[in-house]
């Protein structure tokens, strides 16, 4: 499974604000899925699905903005 907290820690140490923002947004998506009603324990495949869904949303936002 993706250790998002470790990635956030590394981004903080390297002072990479872009990565940090991306990891924090991804962590928020994971937390939203974990705390949803009737949520099952999250495994690696569910995390990948969440990442794909989030990427699609971002790509749509970029195309709408352009």
């Amino acid at each position: 499974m993706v250790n998002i907290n470790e990635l956030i820690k590394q981004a903080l140490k390297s002072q990479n604000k872009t990565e940090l923002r991306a990891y924090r947004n991804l962590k928020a998506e994971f937390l939203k899925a974990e705390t949803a009603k009737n949520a099952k324990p999250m495994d690696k495949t569910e995390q990948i699905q969440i990442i794909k869904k989030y990427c699609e949303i971002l790509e749509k936002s970029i195309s709408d903005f352009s």
Side-chain angles (χ1 to χ4, degrees):
M1 284 185 35
V2 176
N3 189 349
I4 196 76
N5 291 327
E6 188 63 34
L7 293 172
I8 290 172
K9 201 181 303 182
Q10 289 174 0
L12 281 169
K13 285 181 183 178
S14 66
Q15 296 179 351
N16 189 335
K17 293 180 182 181
T18 306
E19 276 187 24
L20 181 60
R21 189 177 317 125
Y23 292 143
R24 284 183 174 165
N25 288 335
L26 193 56
K27 182 178 180 179
E29 292 296 319
F30 286 163
L31 289 174
K32 197 184 312 179
E34 287 176 352
T35 58
K37 193 173 186 179
N38 299 327
K40 296 181 261 179
M42 190 177 298
D43 61 351
K44 194 171 191 172
T45 56
E46 288 183 30
Q47 283 185 340
I48 292 171
Q49 289 175 348
I50 290 171
I51 293 170
K52 284 182 181 180
K53 183 180 174 184
Y54 190 62
C55 286
E56 289 172 3
I57 291 169
L58 291 176
E59 287 174 356
K60 185 180 182 310
S61 297
I62 290 170
S63 67
D64 289 348
F65 185 73
S66 298

